Amino acid sequence: MLHQIVLRSLAFIGAAFGVLTANNAVAQIDPKAVVYQTPDQFKWRDPTNQATTNQAILVGDPNKQGLYLYLNTFKPNRFGNAHYHPNDRYIMVVSGAGWRGTGTVVDPAHSTRVPRGAFMVDHALKPHWDGTKEETGAYLITGLGPATNIEIPKESGPYRGGDPAAATIKMPNQIEWKDNGGNLTTNLVGDPSKPGLYVQMLTWKKNNNSRPHFHPNDRYIYVLSGTWWLNTGTNYDMGKAVAVKEGTFVTHFGKQVHYDGAKDEETTIIVIGDGPATTTQAAN
């Protein structure tokens, strides 16, 4: 079912392709295989960025069934009401820091700071709340919709304690990585080798990259840090690869040949998709 979401995400290809063809160095990328959006191309709910909470939807529709992926940004010194969602949500803190709490009473004094690089799960039907203090924050959020936000009538307290079953938080130093030689990987949700939603982080070591290959299903990638290099087709040439910076959102379309990796700096990405995400090497 998830692979059908690509039909909705194709709407941004025209805009992305316009950027690709505007620069001869970028014209190597085949938009049938790979498209990307830089942060300045995201369509924010509030284009003026005056709202305390802003949102840019990258894949799908959070209000409907199916895979969705969006960014939420938060200005300092704001907390939302306690609420819950009908399905699990998977969240990576991509900048700044948020503060998280569980239960029906919002009390910032009993919240936990979640910095950039922390990964969280909001468990279905469990009340939780979050906000910011002196820092801004941004979340990359994914899951299977609908992701309806169901608010709980505001309670003034006193704080009655949280619910450990409402949310799971992994701080950056609690994420376990597997060293594969040229890269490091960690599976945060699901199993990429099996059917179903998966969320995986991957760090490319310096001067390591893949050779031309393809995957059976679409993959959605957000560049968390560093510079990631992309190219398409079976003619391997990293000298003609395109550099995409931190904060860029990339789509790899299923069964289309591409290759990618790092050059002079380590690069970390988060990959979201519908498994299996097997890799098939392409003949040159």
Side-chain angles (χ1 to χ4, degrees), residues 236-264:
Y236 173 78
D237 186 354
M238 286 299 290
K240 294 182 179 179
V242 174
V244 294
K245 301 290 186 178
E246 178 181 314
T248 301
F249 178 67
V250 180
T251 298
H252 285 166
F253 293 113
K255 302 179 179 64
Q256 301 299 315
V257 178
H258 59 274
Y259 52 96
D260 41 61
K263 290 192 177 182
D264 56 356

Side-chain angles (χ1 to χ4, degrees), residues 4-254:
Q4 295 176 347
I5 298 299
V6 68
L7 297 177
R8 301 177 193 167
S9 64
L10 285 173
F12 69 75
I13 293 178
F17 184 65
V19 174
L20 298 177
T21 56
N23 185 317
N24 289 335
V26 184
Q28 305 297 324
I29 295 289
D30 179 358
K32 295 189 297 295
V34 173
V35 295
Y36 65 87
Q37 290 177 294
T38 55
D40 61 304
Q41 294 175 308
F42 296 159
K43 294 182 179 179
W44 294 96
R45 182 172 57 197
D46 174 14
T48 68
N49 198 30
Q50 298 301 306
T52 57
T53 302
N54 209 354
Q55 184 181 89
I57 297 175
L58 302 174
V59 174
D61 183 341
N63 297 312
K64 299 179 181 179
Q65 291 187 338
L67 177 69
Y68 65 84
L69 197 157
Y70 62 88
L71 282 167
N72 270 3
T73 61
F74 312 100
K75 293 191 180 301
N77 302 309
R78 49 78 57 199
F79 271 85
N81 293 332
H83 61 278
Y84 61 90
H85 311 282
N87 301 305
D88 290 350
R89 302 195 319 162
Y90 308 106
I91 303 163
M92 174 63 69
V93 184
V94 296
S95 71
W99 290 79
R100 306 273 294 173
T102 58
T104 58
V105 177
V106 177
D107 185 351
H110 290 91
S111 60
T112 299
R113 182 179 181 270
V114 285
R116 176 182 176 180
F119 182 76
M120 303 176 289
V121 181
D122 288 341
H123 296 291
L125 306 177
K126 298 288 187 177
H128 59 274
W129 41 271
D130 54 10
T132 52
K133 294 188 178 182
E134 68 278 0
E135 304 162 277
T136 60
Y139 294 169
L140 181 72
I141 304 174
T142 191
L144 298 178
T148 314
N149 195 65
I150 303 166
E151 290 204 356
I152 295 170
K154 190 173 182 178
E155 295 186 41
S156 58
Y159 184 71
R160 297 191 296 271
D163 178 3
T168 299
I169 300 174
K170 282 190 176 183
M171 296 298 184
N173 62 358
Q174 296 175 318
I175 294 174
E176 297 181 1
W177 294 85
K178 178 182 178 182
D179 192 333
N180 302 305
N183 58 51
L184 307 172
T185 58
T186 180
N187 292 337
L188 300 171
V189 177
D191 184 340
S193 68
K194 299 177 181 179
L197 175 68
Y198 67 88
V199 180
Q200 180 184 63
M201 273 203 300
L202 187 152
T203 294
W204 285 100
K205 298 179 183 179
K206 292 181 181 180
N207 301 313
N208 280 279
N209 48 79
S210 63
R211 296 304 187 268
H213 64 278
F214 60 89
H215 311 284
N217 301 316
D218 299 341
R219 288 158 45 105
Y220 305 104
I221 302 111
Y222 185 88
V223 182
L224 294 170
S225 65
T227 301
W228 198 35
W229 294 82
L230 311 171
N231 210 342
T232 56
T234 58
N235 184 22
Y236 173 78
D237 186 354
M238 286 299 290
K240 294 182 179 179
V242 174
V244 294
K245 301 290 186 178
E246 178 181 314
T248 301
F249 178 67
V250 180
T251 298
H252 285 166
F253 293 113

